[in-house]
């Protein structure tokens, strides 16, 4: 089974790019993050041969799953906390998680909160959100695949210059520990061998041209064996590209034979 994750940074702006990617990538499941639209505004990709599910509440966040191997039991609540700017207002869930069963594998598209600044309550929200993901995974099914923009670089090898990020979010020990705790829940990072291969380059400062990026788009799995993992860096090139590139993994479902498509 080939699974891809891609922070699309506005699916309506980049609908043609998604269509082109589906035509040429041969993915079985594509998970999108930061779609930036409501469910009613999400494009109809049914003509591509992919079933789709989307969870979006407004022009922020938003996650989707597109699958050509079945899409059953879509849901967006894995016990994650909510957030509101006003700490005394109801802390309602944001559109940051969407799961479905695709080809017998439970797949979740996740858009982890950014965290903003270490002193910001959004940072605590990020840690609590990741802990909810960990708890769900620990009690969840097998096979299971959690993918998405995790907004954390797992190691110093996953940022172009660790000194630039000193004292900032995405690289703090607490964030990295929260991410590593997914291993305690029985998951393995399927993309771990991609250290030093970036998945995100800021639009500012010519970061892509200078190859100054981060590896923050990740895949975690249980009950699946990784055959191959790579970043489609070409999707970051050209006019109108997202600031993230798709991350693709070929899996074999444990207990089956064969690679891609198994």
């Amino acid at each position: 089974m080939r699974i891809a994750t891609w922070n699309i940074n506005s699916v309506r702006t980049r609908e043609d790019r998604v269509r082109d990617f589906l035509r040429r990538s041969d993915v079985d499941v594509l998970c999108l993050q930061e779609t930036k639209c409501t469910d009613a505004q999400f494009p109809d990709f049914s003509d591509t041969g992919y079933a789709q599910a989307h969870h979006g509440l407004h022009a922020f966040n938003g996650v989707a799953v597109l699958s050509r191997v079945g899409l059953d039991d879509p849901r967006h609540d894995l016990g994650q906390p909510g957030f509101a700017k006003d700490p005394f207002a109801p802390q309602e869930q944001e559109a940051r998680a969407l799961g479905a069963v695709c080809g017998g594998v439970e797949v979740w598209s996740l858009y982890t909160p950014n965290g903003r600044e270490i002193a910001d309550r959004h940072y605590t929200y990020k840690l609590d959100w990741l802990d909810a993901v960990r708890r769900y995974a620990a009690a969840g099914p097998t096979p299971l695949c959690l993918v998405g923009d995790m907004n954390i670089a797992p190691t110093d090898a996953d940022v172009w210059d660790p000194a630039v990020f000193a004292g900032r979010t995405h690289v703090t020990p607490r964030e990295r520990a929260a991410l590593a705790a997914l291993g305690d829940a029985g998951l393995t990072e399927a993309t771990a061998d991609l250290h030093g291969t970036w998945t995100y380059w800021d639009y500012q400062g010519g970061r892509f041209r200078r190859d100054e990026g981060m590896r923050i788009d990740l895949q975690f799995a249980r009950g699946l064996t990784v055959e191959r993992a790579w970043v489609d860096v070409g999707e970051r090139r050209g006019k109108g590209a997202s600031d993230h590139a798709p991350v693709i993994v070929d899996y074999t479902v444990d207990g089956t034979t064969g690679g891609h498509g198994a």
Side-chain angles (χ1 to χ4, degrees):
M1 179 178 289
R2 179 170 292 174
I3 299 177
T5 181
W6 190 6
N7 180 319
I8 196 64
N9 192 11
S10 179
V11 68
R12 289 180 292 169
T13 301
R14 299 181 172 86
E15 178 181 348
D16 288 345
R17 280 185 172 262
V18 173
R19 290 181 173 277
D20 289 343
F21 179 78
L22 291 174
R23 279 193 290 267
R24 65 177 175 75
S25 65
D26 197 28
V27 295
D28 296 304
V29 182
L30 171 61
C31 294
L32 299 174
Q33 301 88 41
E34 208 172 355
T35 58
K36 294 184 175 180
C37 65
T38 65
D39 292 347
Q41 295 169 326
F42 189 76
D44 182 2
F45 292 103
S46 60
D47 59 305
T48 65
Y50 287 79
Q52 65 186 55
H54 178 260
H55 178 44
L57 302 174
H58 39 59
F60 302 97
N61 308 316
V63 282
V65 177
L66 283 69
S67 171
R68 67 178 185 186
V69 293
L71 198 159
D72 300 312
D73 193 24
R75 55 202 186 281
H76 54 77
D77 187 349
L78 44 65
Q80 70 271 32
F83 184 82
K85 187 174 182 180
D86 180 355
F88 300 104
Q91 305 296 293
E92 298 179 353
Q93 281 187 5
E94 299 179 302
R96 292 183 174 274
L98 178 65
V101 178
C102 305
V105 178
E106 185 170 300
V107 181
W108 282 83
S109 179
L110 303 177
Y111 182 36
T112 300
N114 178 281
R116 299 176 183 168
E117 302 290 339
I118 296 173
D120 196 299
R121 50 187 291 270
H122 206 261
Y123 179 78
T124 302
Y125 165 53
K126 180 178 189 175
L127 297 175
D128 291 343
W129 196 92
L130 285 163
D131 187 59
V133 173
R134 177 195 61 78
R135 285 185 278 107
Y136 179 85
T142 299
L144 176 65
C145 194
L146 306 181
V147 310
D149 178 358
M150 305 305 288
N151 266 318
I152 298 170
T155 72
D156 281 353
D158 297 307
V159 295
W160 64 273
D161 184 353
V164 171
F165 296 90
R168 299 168 62 184
T169 60
H170 292 58
V171 300
T172 64
R174 292 184 69 189
E175 289 169 287
R176 286 176 170 173
L179 190 67
L182 293 177
D184 298 331
L187 299 174
T188 300
E189 192 201 330
T191 44
D193 288 344
L194 296 177
H195 291 303
T197 304
W198 318 135
T199 67
Y200 163 80
W201 301 257
D202 197 305
Y203 287 129
Q204 303 299 317
R207 296 297 190 204
F208 183 68
R209 176 178 53 81
R210 296 155 63 104
D211 195 31
E212 296 176 347
M214 306 174 69
R215 192 178 73 88
I216 58 176
D217 302 88
L218 313 172
Q219 298 201 25
F220 293 83
R222 176 174 64 227
L224 301 166
T225 298
V226 177
E227 302 293 339
R228 179 189 175 207
W230 70 102
V231 180
D232 186 354
V233 177
E235 272 297 345
R236 181 59 176 83
R237 298 188 178 99
K239 184 178 180 180
S242 170
D243 45 1
H244 295 250
V247 179
I248 309 167
V249 180
D250 281 347
Y251 295 99
T252 298
V253 179
D254 291 356
T256 67
T257 58
H260 170 43

